[in-house]
Amino acid sequence: MKRRNTPAKAAILSLLKDANAALSQEMIENEIKGEMDRVTIYRVLNSFCEDGITHKILADDGKYYFALCHSCNEHTHDHDHFHFKCISCQKVECLEEKVIVNLPEGYVQKSVTSWVTGHCKNCS
């Protein structure tokens, strides 16, 4: 489903592209600085997830982080990769390595969310 483009969508998409990292809603709110309300940001982020523009990752801090998808659409999402969170600067990045889990016969995998924490190249 194609949705109309709005200034809010354009601003959030630009922010995600420029960040080159996954951002929480709180981080986006801090960057937007009152240009739009929290509910609008929430709705835009969820519509991006539904349309295959972003995927969201639940971190161990209880926050969802939103990252741009590279090969997804509204019908197919492929996010079976590791995520790295720097314990110094808090940057969250998608890592390229795909997670492969060998499940017992009869089990069907839908998605995998895996976290690696440590120090990023800028903080180590």
Side-chain angles (χ1 to χ4, degrees), residues 24-38:
S24 69
Q25 180 168 340
E26 180 182 347
M27 294 167 133
I28 293 169
E29 288 174 25
N30 290 337
E31 288 295 320
I32 298 292
K33 296 183 181 114
E35 292 177 36
M36 64 193 78
D37 63 28
R38 171 179 235 154

Side-chain angles (χ1 to χ4, degrees), residues 1-6 8-18 21-23 28 41 43-57 65-79 81 83 94:
M1 175 178 169
K2 296 292 181 196
R3 302 173 201 251
R4 68 184 180 93
N5 197 13
T6 64
K9 288 180 182 181
I12 293 171
L13 186 58
S14 176
L15 187 62
L16 287 167
K17 286 179 180 177
D18 291 345
L23 301 175
I28 293 169
I41 295 169
R43 287 182 181 154
V44 168
L45 290 171
N46 281 321
S47 73
F48 283 174
C49 289
E50 290 170 6
D51 294 344
I53 297 168
T54 63
H55 64 282
K56 65 181 178 181
I57 316 111
Y65 289 82
F66 297 83
L68 291 175
C69 294
H70 297 289
S71 60
C72 299
N73 59 50
E74 69 237 38
H75 305 293
T76 308
H77 291 274
D78 182 17
H79 308 125
H81 55 263
H83 299 91
C94 295

Side-chain angles (χ1 to χ4, degrees), residues 80-85 93-98 114 116:
D80 297 342
H81 55 263
F82 287 98
H83 299 91
F84 184 90
K85 184 173 182 182
E93 300 175 78
C94 295
L95 301 177
E96 296 297 319
E97 186 173 343
K98 190 167 177 74
S114 300
V116 178

